[in-house]
């Protein structure tokens, strides 16, 4: 059983801890957070023996095999470097950092330490999206020509969150950039972004957008589209469609039930599952199980450091495109060799 | 071009006349109705040259090849016999009569005159139901084991109509009895009926039911279910499911559009097409085209006199079952040889 | 935390044990099975401290609050009586017994001991079926008029299982009898059954059927239909439709993904989840959580002894109907007062 | 009854003629085509009295009220001008011309002659797309934020057709440009296009693309996406989705039947209707009925000259964007005042 240390006990840190405690592959040995309030009670209810406000304690603990980095994004890169040097395997929440250069430095440390790093793009582990990836990979739709990702949140985050989020492309669409690469299995060579502030004026005041569309051109000739909105009043809208020379695969949202109710008012179905915690429950479980399986050598890391880096590059390019009003080519960015990560 | 005479210019008679005028296979030469009000105007708008209140005029017209009998059910059998003796091909609305014996006499006349008779079970010509029949016939679902027919009207007819209708089994479910035979392609050997008066007390006062379920046992071992309701508040509900050793085919209702609207209230689709005129528009056209094609010898009558007779037998048996509270076997009823019809 | 003893460590006993160990409401203290092979290893992997081949040990253990009866059906009634006398709350797998009289005796013991008894009709806890029940109860479809339950297994059980199963009505359709009462919320007053041996000749040799349709007449006037097949080649088919004066609710099967693949061959979706373990994973978890909540007094037992009894009465009546070829009325059967259970 | 002259008796000219002969609002008085082969036979079967190889005969016929221009695109603008001067109302197939300037001249003539001009964007009359437009216009989805149009043909046209087509944007996507304006009800201010030659190398040799995505920015802030492929192996793919502040509406393809077939291979539905003649049968009928109703003054022309012009401007801008690799703004193009058309 792997022994795990969790750095950052916010919502996502706690979620991972609960899932780890349920697997038969690992146990949480320690958790750290700068805010210790209520942490003891929560930890003891999950049988987590060690609680600390200093994450260095976790890095120094020789019994800990793997670190989950769930602290704020601004701390990720530093902790990755430290954890790598301490010889720990690393699971890091997305994004690795807000800057491609910073991420590259972190990955370099991972590479040198020869530890494993998985980045938390949880959607790769969703039953629907995995089916799309597997279908494309299996050649069922032939050569990919068009890709379309719809990604809409049920409501915008508070302004304070937006201010520190890195912007829509880095905070929200970064999941979709990763999904695009995961499904098409080719690198993006050009990005063109359009965005608008149509939902919450506060987001506009922070120089961010809440509605955006990005067009991607892939090295293999395929063209992709990503649509984001911070507010879909009917709930979390997470769909994908891949079209190719031999066919098309598309997915619908998951709903609480399959019930269809017909009345004099119309024919009604359930709204989609409300948000990511509801929709991706199973994906979060799968994500950590696959992480431990990769450490055991069963298969390569499903979402590695390079994947994290490439998504950030696309987010950065999209932001540049939005600011300049022009498409942005991506061949000018230095990429670490995939194998080295 | 076939020359057609239409007896009875009510709603369905007029509908057939309009469809005939649009085909390139036939023209309406004459129409008769005991109620001549407004008939001239309507007929002239459709370029129908002859209008009369005496249907014998049509039977005596040597230029007329085929007669459409759209008058009240109580007149069908007599007119069939007369038309057959006059050497006309016959399209007769359902049911042929309210009594198996009467229908048998009419069919005997058709047989002796060697004319063609098609009975107006329009649903055989519906795109969805025809697909089910063809799929079953093609062996795609293997041997049929279970059949389920859902048939619900959007609102009950007025009491005056119900009083003369022959009852729910003969008036409404008769379509479904025919559909059951059409799809399973085996005769029914037992009928068990349950019914209730749950919708309109006036229907109960007329000793009729407005809600009914009938279980059918087929000669090939399959078991069928027919569900009827006189009132589905969401519109005309016409679905079927056939299950067999190799699979299952089921159909959904047709709707005015495929639109799906998602709002904070839920996810909404269109209600089914309102009633039979909306749902079976294309089926009515196909029905008469196939009638003329059969007269031309392209293929046998799709829905012949025996089909009309068998549906009536099932309706009669269902009524008997409801009255006696017992299943009714069908082997005691004499059936004319199918080929002779 | 409730302490639980599990009697019978077959597939379903083990399943419940795993789910119990994951809740925060209870722990498995002991497990018994006449076949001890491999039991120690399995139990220790789940941190179950006590393993025995004598279920009396569990009944005698004062620390155990509740007993899960997962042994063969023929043993249920006796164990219920013993457990009740030992003052344990009881969760019993379905059916309680193969005979209404035997079940009544068991329920009498439960009543006298004033313990709680939940019967394992897991489908009441399924997200789709619960939605139907809640929608009907909420009055959204008005007064129920028609109910339809489709229940088809992906493949028939082995002949040895069938021989001891009590027959299709008691073994398989009993779930649907319970579902019918759960949704319509009215007792059944008449049952008419048709059945056939269309799938596996061995089942016929055991005087059982593998295909059956049962028509139910409810006290409130509604009519219900249950369809069973032991073999749906496309997977576990579990659907329901309730139709009433104000509308209709119907559910579809759950599928592994929502993906739709369009190729030159057609438009393809996933098959339904394969069988009950896949389909009802979440329902099994909910079922035991609700059991413990009922013991805590949060709400009455969702599926109590009377529910178990009524389902058996319907199974018995269906069998009688099939044998006699006649509808069977249910008012002649003595029923214990619901409140007393 | 309006008397109609049809110029150009190719596939689409013949189609319109047949539909006109079926309405009660108009009759085809004359048809012209430079290729007279077989024209007499066809015309007489439809009771069209006059056949000629000189379209001027139609313009000179004082009994003709309206002209349908179904000749090659290169002739449209000249004939519009001549027909307008002859005082005929005009229905012109899309596009009006291959050049914005040419179209503007033609529209000027229409304006000066004060005749009515409808452009043949048939999809505005499709049941699904009209539902989307009406829903957006009714405010059901609130302010439009995102629009997505999927438009894929089942197979590419022959190279000879492509060579004269004006290119994918002017020939195929022009329908979608019109649809975008029709649904969002705001003008496009910027266009960015990506395209590729992924299907048929011959199309590439003609300097055309067969796969393209265009991003549109609307004056009201909404962002739109149009996807085109010349080859969807599963059939004509025509879908739309509009997302706004209060919800989302999306449409699916029409299919020949609603049947769902479940076998051991999977769950299968019909492919979409094959191509535009199958999919838009009813839209073509509605299109001409609405044209005659507009002439009668019942409502304004649904798709007028300005609509034709704006779609061409977008096609031209998309082509420019593809060639230059940059987004193209549209405010530099002079637009005739909408009212003047």
């Amino acid at each position: 059983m792997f022994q795990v240390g969790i750095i950052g006990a916010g919502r996502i840190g706690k979620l991972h801890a609960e899932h780890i405690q349920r697997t038969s592959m690992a146990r949480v040995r320690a958790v750290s957070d700068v805010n210790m309030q209520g942490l003891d009670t929560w930890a003891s209810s999950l049988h987590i023996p060690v609680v600390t406000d200093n994450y260095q304690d976790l890095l120094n603990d020789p019994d800990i095999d793997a670190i989950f980095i769930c602290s704020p994004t601004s701390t990720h890169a530093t902790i990755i470097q430290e954890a790598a040097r301490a010889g720990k395997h690393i699971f890091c929440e997305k994004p690795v950092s807000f800057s491609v250069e910073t991420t590259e430095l972190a990955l370099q440390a991972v590479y040198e330490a020869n530890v494993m790093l998985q980045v938390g793009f949880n959607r790769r582990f969703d039953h629907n999206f995995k089916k799309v990836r597997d279908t494309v990979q299996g050649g069922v739709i032939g050569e990919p020509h068009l890709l379309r990702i719809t990604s809409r949140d049920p409501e915008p985050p508070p302004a304070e969150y937006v201010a520190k989020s890195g912007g829509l492309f880095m905070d929200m669409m970064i999941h979709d950039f990763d999904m695009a690469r995961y499904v098409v299995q080719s690198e993006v060579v050009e990005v063109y972004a359009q965005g608008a502030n149509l939902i919450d004026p506060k987001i506009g005041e922070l120089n961010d957008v809440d509605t955006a569309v990005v067009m991607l051109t892939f090295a293999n000739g395929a063209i992709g589209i990503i649509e984001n909105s911070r507010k879909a009043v009917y709930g979390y809208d997470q769909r994908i469609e891949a079209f190719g020379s031999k066919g098309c695969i598309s997915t619908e949202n998951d709903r609480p039930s399959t019930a269809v109710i017909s009345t004099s008012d119309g024919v009604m179905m359930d709204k989609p599952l409300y948000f990511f915690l509801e929709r991706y429950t199973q994906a979060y479980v799968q994500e950590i199980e696959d992480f431990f399986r990769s450490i055991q050598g069963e298969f390569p890391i499903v979402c590695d450091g390079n994947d994290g880096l490439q998504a950030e590059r696309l987010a950065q390019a999209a932001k540049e495109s939005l600011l300049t009003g022009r498409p942005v080519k991506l061949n000018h960015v230095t990429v670490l060799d995939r194998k080295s990560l």
Side-chain angles (χ1 to χ4, degrees), chain A residues 123 126 128-129 148-155 172 175-176 179 226-241 251-255 270-280:
Chain A
R123 297 182 194 171
D126 173 69
N128 290 331
F129 293 136
R148 195 164 70 200
I149 300 175
T150 304
S151 180
R152 301 168 187 158
D153 287 351
E155 49 185 346
M172 179 179 176
H175 278 291
D176 307 300
M179 186 53 58
I226 299 170
E227 266 185 40
N228 271 192
S229 169
R230 285 286 195 185
K231 186 171 184 181
V233 296
Y234 49 88
Y236 201 39
D237 195 346
Q238 298 278 295
R239 289 173 289 153
I240 195 167
E241 177 170 313
T251 61
E252 267 303 313
N253 288 305
D254 289 341
R255 291 175 285 135
D270 284 357
K271 289 188 281 186
L273 291 171
Y274 181 65
F275 210 168
F276 63 97
L277 290 181
E278 291 81 11
R279 164 65 186 266
Y280 292 122

Side-chain angles (χ1 to χ4, degrees), chain A residues 17-24 26-27 289:
Chain A
E18 286 160 17
H19 291 150
I20 292 168
Q21 295 305 69
R22 284 191 181 180
T23 74
S24 55
R27 280 297 169 274
E289 291 197 351

